[in-house]
Amino acid sequence: MTHQGNYKQPTIFIGNGTIFFVCTVVIVLLFIANLFFGSVSIPAKAVVQAIMGQEVEKASWGYIILQSRLPQAITATLCGGALAVSGLMLQTAFNNPLAGPSILGISSGANLGVAIVMLAGGGTIAAGGITFGSFFSVLFGAFIGSMIIMSVILAFSSFVKNNLMLLIIGIMIGYVTSSAISLLNFFSTAEGVHSFIIWGMGNFGGVSMQQMPWFASICIVGLILSIVLIKPLNALLMGNQYAENLGINIKHTRNTLLIATGLLTAITTAFCGPIAFFGLAVPHVARMVLGSQNHKRLLPLTILIGSATALACNLICILPGESGIIPLNAVTPLLGAPVIIYVIVKQKRMAQ
């Protein structure tokens, strides 16, 4: 087994301060671009007026900017960072460069939780006589599903030491959950199946401004938990025994990682769909750019690159303009798959 501490990638030699500054500027520019461009053509002056709270020539323009484009841009920023940092934590915890929420079946668990709520529960979950609204019921289903799968994977990782075998177990778990989802689709109504299929295509437009405070709060809590884990994650790069010698509580670290990854995967999957490749590819891009495994710099950079990538993908999705919007999961593999192929080929060459 090769520790990630020995996992090397080609680096782009840029000063750390410059890297973070450039990423921040790119995020700001992409965020602004997401406000100015969309499937509906709106004059730049009207966009500025709407953002400044001024009266817009057409009321519909103001509504589109403030109630559609703005929450969509915020969602993409948070979702990209959340999925990217989830992938980074999983790759470090499982000591596997190909670990990620989708590969290990964690996203599939969240999908199953959402499917149960949308297809079998009618959008609500009754617990203890209390019926939660659709926002919390969908989130609850996604969180429980992702946590269960994450717990199963962590249990297997305690005695399955082979990286490839662990990946295969995650893929098999994904197949099992997909089978369960297929059964739910079969017995569901046509309307429920249609809604679930549309949700499964991925979309950053699933969070309204009314839901945004809850969505943003949960994402931020998960990101804060990931930042708290920076020191333990650095220790885990050298192996569990080394981390224990440094006084790191492995069990507590894994539990915190479980909660953080579960929260981030659940909230993003519940309201944006099962978005592929962000958690798998972005951490590798961050490593190549930074040229370091130190999570003190790597983790924040992964969040920034994840946010920038998500905003870029959202822009690509609206390229057809008035002809329609491209599904998000039709775009992410085009950006993520080449990165993973490159990493696999590079690893093979280094092993020879």
Side-chain angles (χ1 to χ4, degrees):
M1 183 184 299
T2 302
H3 287 298
Q4 283 195 41
N6 299 324
Y7 172 55
K8 297 180 180 179
Q9 296 198 58
T11 59
I12 301 173
F13 296 102
I14 309 175
N16 289 338
T18 304
I19 292 173
F20 284 94
F21 175 76
V22 169
C23 285
T24 303
V25 171
V26 168
I27 289 173
V28 172
L29 292 176
L30 286 171
F31 191 95
I32 294 173
N34 273 269
L35 298 179
F36 279 83
F37 300 99
S39 57
V40 177
S41 180
I42 300 177
K45 181 180 178 181
V47 175
V48 175
Q49 289 174 335
I51 297 298
M52 298 296 292
Q54 300 174 2
E55 186 177 350
V56 184
E57 181 181 343
K58 292 184 179 180
S60 60
W61 288 351
Y63 181 86
I64 290 172
I65 295 164
L66 297 178
Q67 299 300 323
S68 178
R69 293 184 184 179
L70 180 59
Q72 199 165 335
I74 296 173
T75 301
T77 303
L78 292 172
C79 185
L83 289 173
V85 80
S86 295
L88 175 63
M89 290 191 292
L90 290 172
Q91 288 170 11
T92 302
F94 290 105
N95 191 28
N96 194 319
L98 295 180
S102 56
I103 298 296
L104 288 173
I106 299 168
S107 294
S108 298
N111 295 352
L112 179 59
V114 173
I116 292 174
V117 172
M118 293 179 66
L119 301 177
T124 59
I125 290 180
I130 300 175
T131 301
F132 299 93
S134 59
F135 180 94
F136 292 103
S137 61
V138 172
L139 175 60
F140 181 79
F143 180 70
I144 294 300
S146 62
M147 291 288 281
I148 290 174
I149 300 302
M150 184 72 171
S151 300
V152 172
I153 295 295
L154 283 172
F156 274 111
S157 69
S158 63
F159 60 87
V160 177
K161 302 302 181 182
N162 186 285
N163 287 342
L164 180 59
M165 291 299 103
L166 197 59
L167 283 177
I168 292 174
I169 290 172
I171 293 171
M172 292 303 104
I173 291 175
Y175 280 127
V176 172
T177 56
S178 296
S179 176
I181 291 172
S182 296
L183 288 173
L184 286 171
N185 274 307
F186 181 79
F187 290 105
S188 182
T189 62
E191 293 79 6
V193 172
H194 178 73
S195 299
F196 187 76
I197 290 175
I198 296 299
W199 168 83
M201 292 181 179
N203 178 23
F204 289 132
V207 183
S208 66
M209 285 303 290
Q210 290 71 32
Q211 296 169 331
M212 186 57 67
W214 293 103
F215 179 85
S217 298
I218 295 171
C219 283
I220 291 171
V221 168
L223 292 173
I224 291 174
L225 285 176
S226 69
I227 293 173
V228 171
L229 289 170
I230 285 178
K231 183 178 178 181
L233 287 171
N234 274 337
L236 286 175
L237 287 173
M238 305 306 295
N240 289 348
Q241 186 174 356
Y242 179 84
E244 288 177 346
N245 290 338
L246 290 179
I248 303 297
N249 187 324
I250 301 297
K251 183 177 180 181
H252 179 266
T253 298
R254 284 196 164 190
N255 288 340
T256 306
L257 186 144
L258 171 66
I259 295 172
T261 307
L263 274 176
L264 294 174
T265 303
I267 188 67
T268 53
T269 301
F271 295 97
C272 302
I275 302 173
F277 282 101
F278 272 97
L280 189 58
V282 172
H284 292 294
V285 176
R287 290 188 187 97
M288 287 188 285
V289 172
L290 191 62
S292 172
Q293 294 280 3
N294 186 351
H295 286 74
K296 188 174 182 180
R297 298 190 300 272
L298 180 60
L299 192 143
L301 183 63
T302 300
I303 294 174
L304 291 177
I305 294 179
S307 296
T309 305
L311 287 167
C313 287
N314 196 53
L315 270 179
I316 295 173
C317 287
I318 54 92
L319 283 179
E322 296 180 359
S323 299
I325 298 176
I326 300 173
L328 185 60
N329 278 329
V331 175
T332 54
L334 298 177
L335 301 178
V339 174
I340 301 307
I341 293 172
Y342 174 77
V343 170
I344 294 173
V345 172
K346 193 66 182 178
Q347 280 287 89
K348 184 177 181 181
R349 288 179 179 176
M350 291 177 62
Q352 291 176 349

